[in-house]
Amino acid sequence: MRVLLVGSGGREHALALGLAADPSVERLIAAPGNPGIAGVAELRQVDTADPAAVAGLAVEEGVDLVVIGPEAPLVAGVADAVRAKGVACFGPSAEAARLEGSKAFAKDVMIAAGVPTARAYTCTDEAGTAHALDEFGAPYVVKNDGLAAGKGVVVTDDRAAALAHAAECGRVVVEEYLAGPEVSLFVVTDGEAAVPLLPAQDFKRVGDGDTGPNTGGMGAYAPLPWTPPGLVEQVMREVVHPTLAEMRRRGTPFAGLLYVGLAITAAGPRVIEFNARFGDPETQVVLALLESPLGGLLHAAATGTLAAHPPLRWRDGAAVTVVLAAANYPGTPRTGDVITGAERPGVIHAGTRRAADGALLSAGGRVLCGTATGPDLAAARDAAYALIAGVQLPGSHHRSDIADAAVRGEVRLPSRGRDEATGNG
Ligand code: AMP
């Protein structure tokens, strides 16, 4: 099978490693890819937000499957354009990708499907926002209604800051705060059949102890030793299948990767958000543990044959990834610094580029991550930190507590009748 992978971040590097390791994938092309992906794929230049350009490349290269990594091409309709050329595509239609592209649309689907989630109001002016904030009380949760690359959400005790964020965004969703540790569950689906991957946890805040502003994600680990028994089955039953049924009922079936972001509250799992693609950096750890061939799985989802796919096989042990971020991230990151020590297995490129002389340079906020597996979570964490310690990037920073609370057995589930936050991590 010939595969075209669309995207250029850490998630796509992890996908590329998984696809390249699948014996049924005889040729892997990535567009535009990155210097890490170049190690396992042929790179092509393309404007990933241009549906006709991506579909044209797929036809030109005679590929059997297109895998779309990031959300922006999905929302722009790249999957529709590829399928219109008769090429199988892993990734939802533009209509279905609105589950991620619009927070208000996602809420509407969740309510229609009876999916447990935070109560919410869509607000477009200050009076409406103020009313919603006061109804729910602090901590306040204000979400930009549009795509914001994981950074459009403000969670704060400061009412003025919540109002200011709403004013900046224009149209926002204000919702009730969900207290409890977070879980990312990836579900591969052809619109009807659905296969869950291993639950993972990511770390959104920039600083140790979940301090500082939100980021695109500073690290992740899997599996989660602390989740309640039966969690995945419950989420498939209460969240995933009702959502897929509602999308089919609307005439816009969702096929691709449904990312279910959950808070495990005292009242049970509640959906924080849907995304229409693999999450970054959780993909790095989930795929590091997946033993079943990735290309075959994604091809089955893209061709409506997932029900006939054999059950997934997973490696024993655990995986941890630690993100190395550029100076000033999550503000405007400093770029163009020379990176050394990155040429090792397990180093996943997220924001890098090659200079004309071959040097590896930083080119984004999240520059790379160290991903490692081990017989248990502590061993995987130590190996991931050893990878990061071997990389030199001036001014860079990373969290030093990824997976620590889970290793120490300190991730607490809120108990019924109590309503206090245990936070993330
Ligand atoms: P989102 O982009 O919706 O995933 O939000 C980013 C992050 O904000 C989540 O991973 C949570 O840490 C936090 N968050 C979003 N919504 C809520 C909520 N209703 N209650 C508590 N935290 C939330």
Side-chain angles (χ1 to χ4, degrees), residues 51-73:
V54 176
L57 179 63
V59 170
E60 202 176 294
E61 298 288 354
V63 302
D64 306 292
L65 174 67
V66 175
V67 176
I68 301 177
E71 57 273 26

Side-chain angles (χ1 to χ4, degrees), residues 106-179:
K107 271 290 169 200
D108 192 55
V109 169
M110 284 189 250
I111 290 163
V115 166
T117 184
R119 289 182 301 134
Y121 293 109
T122 300
C123 307
T124 50
D125 61 24
E126 189 177 337
T129 303
H131 182 264
L133 292 175
D134 294 338
E135 175 165 338
F136 296 135
Y140 304 107
V141 181
V142 181
K143 304 186 170 188
N144 194 344
D145 183 39
L147 270 189
K151 282 168 272 184
V153 178
V154 163
V155 180
T156 177
D157 286 324
D158 180 345
R159 190 173 177 278
L163 278 172
H165 182 61
E168 227 175 273
C169 297
R171 190 179 151 93
V172 293
V173 172
V174 175
E175 65 179 40
E176 114 191 79
Y177 180 79
L178 297 172

